Amino acid sequence: MEKCYNINQVTEILQVSKSKLAKMRIDGTGPAFVKAGKKVLYMVDDLEDWLSSKKFRSTSEYEASCAV
């Protein structure tokens, strides 16, 4: 089985609050997650993929992505 992170681990990695992470799940802007009963888990590969999609080489590249 693939290693998973729990909410506390992901909030620490991303440096966001639990409520911000919950909002990201609601509006679909965060990493993919898995519901296991009442638990929310994040597979390591999914979190790494999501983080990779957030890479930028310059601030102008980042600003252009925000304008879309």
Side-chain angles (χ1 to χ4, degrees):
M1 179 169 165
E2 187 179 341
K3 182 173 166 45
C4 295
Y5 292 124
N6 63 35
I7 289 174
N8 292 332
Q9 292 168 311
V10 174
T11 58
E12 189 170 320
I13 291 166
L14 300 182
Q15 293 295 293
V16 297
S17 66
K18 287 181 183 180
S19 62
K20 173 66 176 178
L21 189 58
K23 184 179 183 314
M24 292 165 75
R25 281 194 306 275
I26 291 167
D27 62 22
T29 59
F33 63 95
V34 175
K35 282 285 277 189
K38 291 186 177 189
K39 283 188 171 188
V40 175
L41 300 171
Y42 294 84
M43 295 179 151
V44 172
D45 287 346
D46 289 338
L47 184 60
E48 289 174 353
D49 289 346
W50 182 80
L51 285 169
S52 290
S53 76
K54 301 296 179 198
K55 287 183 186 177
F56 299 98
R57 298 193 190 290
S58 69
T59 54
S60 58
E61 184 181 350
Y62 169 77
E63 290 166 356
S65 74
C66 292
V68 173

